[in-house]
Every structure is written in structure tokens, then in C-alpha cells.
Amino acid sequence: MISEKPSNRDLSQLSALLAVRSQPTSPSGKQTKKAITPANDNKPAREQLAWPALERLAYRGDYRRLFALRHWKNMVFPGSEIEAPEENNLDPETTIEVRPSEAELLAAIGWKAIDKERWHFTNEIVNVYDPKDCTPTHQKNKNDGIDTQLGDLLFRDGRLIEWGKTGKGSSLRPVERPRGPKGGTSPGRSDAAVWAYLKLRGAVASPLTAKPYSKPLSGEPAIGDFYSPLPREAPSTKDRHGRFGAKEGRAMLQELGVDGTIPFERLPLPATRCADGLVSGPQWVGGVKKPKPLGEISAAAGREPEFVRQVEVLDYVNHLRRHLGRHALVLDMAITDATAKEIGVAMGQAPAYAEKRGPSLIDAAIDALIKLDETARGEFVPVEEKIAA
């Protein structure tokens, strides 16, 4: 309760005393108490969503329009998209192995981990060690340098060269190398599996044994001779060696019996058949070969500059704006923090009706974008709704 006669030197309650004195007195002569309020009448602002249109679509589960709206923002503001990290694109701390680690360094000087705790700076679980005194020793080496021994740690001229010994007495040296791939590696096909594949009998002896139609539509061959064999060219001043024709080469191979048409037993030249064997190493490529992915081909061709892609995207956005018309203005406001009411007012609706009309304007603009742009269309499986019994 405020005193009627405050100290003249204490001015901390001056505003409260003036507020009490300014109140009218009651008929009984007693002053009524009133809560003292601050001089300003500011009220807390109403919470507003950061992206109202997107969060409204997410709340409704309208993933088709949600995908198209994000696509429009990524095209209008190139580089604003959030890229998820690739599966193998890890941090250097994950892909690089450094030895010795923190625990190995402290264990080398006699410190022992006794517990774990959460470090409030990084919110990570770290070890708690039991410290132990360790006195370094110094001595000269054969190169007139200084070797410092601190527990199991050996420093030569200030550089760590050894941090322990293995069970067999080998020196453990500090290393920094790429971490090995996680998981086991594929052992590959064994020789027995390769032989089993080679001994398989095909369903057809040869593709040439396939029977044609019994009643062909035409007597002409279905596939013509689109490639004419190269003729023989005699040596000339431009080419002193000339060129061996394709027909002459085939005739020579047939004469020697190495074109595959003559069985091995009837070769004109004496030959010895060796036992079948497998070539060691990865030279054997028999079996089903996987096709080369398109990513490797495009990567070999090189990646276009980033500014070229942005210029092409902005040019395509201008093309879409010409076809979208007033829908483009709605989409531009829908990717900001504008509410549905503000979008409705901007499109000419009355303030009382704009809040109800705004969501339908946004949906209509997104549908127009999906109809024009194929990349704004996504395939989404509808969520099954459970109906209570």
C-alpha cells in the first residue's frame, strides 16, 4: 500500500503516487484502489504464419497444389529451394578417419574415460576423463633434434610421430585417410558360377534358325542393305598403303577358315584345341550387362553454368505469366506471407468477402499453373481415410 506521505528523496514511486492522487474520492471519504497500468496501451500482435498459403495447403493435405506452389517459388526465386543432402555426400568428419582420436590421445597419457555427459555448447555426449599427471622427458636424437616423450606420445621437434604400440610391438603413427566404405563388399561371381553360366544351353541353337512367317506379306526383305561394304582402294600418292576391301577381307578369312563357318575339325591348317579356361581378373564380361545410366553421360559432357540455367528459367517464367494473366499475380502473392484476405482484397474483392474468396482464388491460380506447366505436376497417392464403424 502506498504511503500518504512518501519521502521527498524517494522518487521511484512518483508515477504511482500521481495515479492514486488523480482518482476521484468516494463519498465515504476513502480512496478506491485501482490497478496501476502502464502508460502505453500496446497489445500483443496476432500471430501470423510465415507462409500462409503453403501451410493451409499442407494442413488440408493437398499435396498436388502444394508441390505446384513450391515449384512456382523455386522458378521465381532461383536458388531458394531446399536441397536434401545426398546419401553419400557426408561431412568431412564422417568421411575422413583421423588417428589418434581424442580418446586415444588421452589414453596415451594415462587418462581414463569414467563417464559420459552432455556438453552444453554443442549439446553432444562427450566422455568424462579421470585426469592423471604425466611428466614429459626430453632427449636429443641422432639428427640433433629434440625428442619429447609424454606417456606413449612421442614428439620429434614438436611433431607427433608415434602415439602407441600394437600388440606385436609395431609403432602406431598418426594418419589422416579416407574412411573405408561401410558394409561388406560384394565378393563377385565365383568360377563355379561362371562355368555354370557358360554351360547353359540356349533355347534356340542360333538366331538364324528362327522360322519366318509362313505367309509373308511381300517377297522383298524386310530390312534392306543400308550399309555398302567398303571397296578396295589401290595405293596412291595420298595413301601409299591403300585400303583392303571388305569383300577381299572376308574371302581371306574364309580361305584361312577362321571366319567361323568351317568346323574346327576341318580347318585347312593344322591346329590344336586347348582346354577351356577362365581368364583371371575382371576381363570376363559374359552375362547380362547393366545399361549405362544417363547421369554418367551428362556428367561427362559437363555441367552448364548456373547463370545460364537461371536465365532460361526466368524466360520460361515470363512465358507462363503471359498465359496465366491475373493468376500470376495471385501466385506471386501466394509465395509470400500474404494472407488469403489480403490476396482477395488485391484481386478486387470486398474486405468482408475477401477472406472467404481468397482460398478459392489461390486454388484456381495453382490449377491454372498445373495445366500449363508439366513440371508442376506431381504424382501423389491419395491417403486412405478410415471410416469409423
Side-chain angles (χ1 to χ4, degrees):
M1 187 172 179
I2 300 175
S3 175
E4 292 290 335
K5 296 181 180 180
S7 175
N8 294 331
R9 297 182 180 179
D10 186 9
L11 301 179
S12 60
Q13 301 293 334
L14 179 60
S15 60
L17 179 60
L18 294 176
V20 173
R21 291 294 185 180
S22 62
Q23 297 298 328
T25 57
S26 59
S28 60
K30 296 182 178 179
Q31 296 181 353
T32 58
K33 298 180 181 179
K34 185 177 180 180
I36 301 173
T37 58
N40 56 43
D41 56 350
N42 296 338
K43 296 181 180 180
R46 183 181 178 182
E47 294 183 359
Q48 184 177 354
L49 299 177
W51 193 352
L54 183 80
E55 299 192 20
R56 180 179 61 84
L57 295 174
Y59 180 78
R60 290 191 326 190
D62 194 349
Y63 301 109
R64 184 177 67 92
R65 292 192 178 100
L66 185 71
F67 177 81
L69 185 61
R70 289 187 57 186
H71 174 67
W72 177 260
K73 182 179 181 182
N74 295 339
M75 289 194 302
V76 174
F77 300 104
S80 62
E81 59 270 13
I82 301 175
E83 298 182 359
E86 300 178 2
E87 182 178 357
N88 296 327
N89 188 13
L90 303 176
D91 296 334
E93 296 180 358
T94 308
T95 58
I96 298 178
E97 180 183 8
V98 179
R99 300 288 301 275
S101 62
E102 172 192 313
E104 292 170 341
L105 275 174
L106 296 178
I109 59 175
W111 289 34
K112 184 178 180 182
I114 57 176
D115 198 0
K116 291 182 178 292
E117 66 177 4
R118 187 176 298 277
W119 199 26
H120 64 278
F121 292 101
T122 59
N123 203 27
E124 295 182 356
I125 300 296
V126 296
N127 294 329
V128 178
Y129 297 92
D130 182 17
K132 184 179 180 181
D133 295 336
C134 186
T135 304
T137 58
H138 308 278
Q139 60 180 358
K140 283 190 176 182
N141 53 36
K142 58 183 179 180
N143 296 326
D144 293 334
I146 301 297
D147 289 350
T148 303
Q149 187 78 29
L150 182 63
D152 294 336
L153 303 179
L154 178 59
F155 297 87
R156 177 161 296 168
D157 297 332
R159 181 180 179 183
L160 180 64
I161 63 173
E162 182 181 320
W163 57 276
K165 299 284 186 180
T166 63
K168 296 183 178 180
S170 301
S171 176
L172 291 175
R173 301 184 179 277
V175 293
E176 182 176 350
R177 58 194 175 191
R179 192 179 300 274
K182 296 183 179 180
T185 58
S186 176
R189 285 176 289 189
S190 60
D191 291 349
V194 176
W195 280 117
Y197 179 82
L198 293 177
K199 293 180 180 179
L200 289 176
R201 298 183 60 183
V204 186
S206 172
L208 302 178
T209 60
K211 296 181 180 180
Y213 289 109
S214 57
K215 294 181 180 180
L217 301 179
S218 174
E220 298 295 329
I223 302 177
D225 189 6
F226 296 99
Y227 174 75
S228 300
L230 295 176
R232 179 180 178 84
E233 289 186 0
S236 60
T237 55
K238 295 183 179 181
D239 186 1
R240 62 176 183 175
H241 299 287
R243 183 174 63 195
F244 206 72
K247 293 184 178 180
E248 290 80 358
R250 292 174 183 174
M252 178 177 291
L253 293 177
Q254 292 177 359
E255 181 181 356
L256 297 177
V258 293
D259 63 330
T261 58
I262 302 177
F264 184 83
E265 292 77 11
R266 287 183 287 176
L267 290 177
L269 300 176
T272 303
R273 184 188 295 274
C274 300
D276 295 336
L278 297 178
V279 179
S280 59
Q283 290 86 358
W284 191 80
V285 293
V288 179
K289 189 179 187 305
K290 296 182 179 180
K292 188 174 184 180
L294 297 178
E296 298 181 9
I297 301 176
S298 59
R303 186 178 180 182
E304 63 178 5
E306 184 66 20
F307 75 92
V308 175
R309 186 182 70 88
Q310 294 182 4
V311 170
E312 293 177 352
V313 170
L314 293 178
D315 183 60
Y316 180 63
V317 170
N318 294 332
H319 165 74
L320 292 177
R321 290 184 186 277
R322 291 192 296 269
H323 290 79
L324 288 173
R326 291 174 60 85
H327 291 310
L329 176 61
V330 177
L331 291 173
D332 289 341
M333 298 186 66
I335 60 177
T336 63
D337 58 351
T339 61
K341 181 178 180 180
E342 295 173 351
I343 295 176
V345 172
M347 299 307 295
Q349 302 294 331
Y353 187 61
E355 190 170 359
K356 297 180 180 179
R357 182 61 178 164
S360 59
L361 292 175
I362 299 174
D363 295 345
I366 297 176
D367 292 340
L369 174 63
I370 294 175
K371 186 177 180 181
L372 283 175
D373 190 5
E374 295 182 357
T375 55
R377 306 168 192 169
E379 298 180 359
F380 302 96
V381 179
V383 181
E384 297 182 359
E385 298 182 357
K386 296 182 179 180
I387 301 176

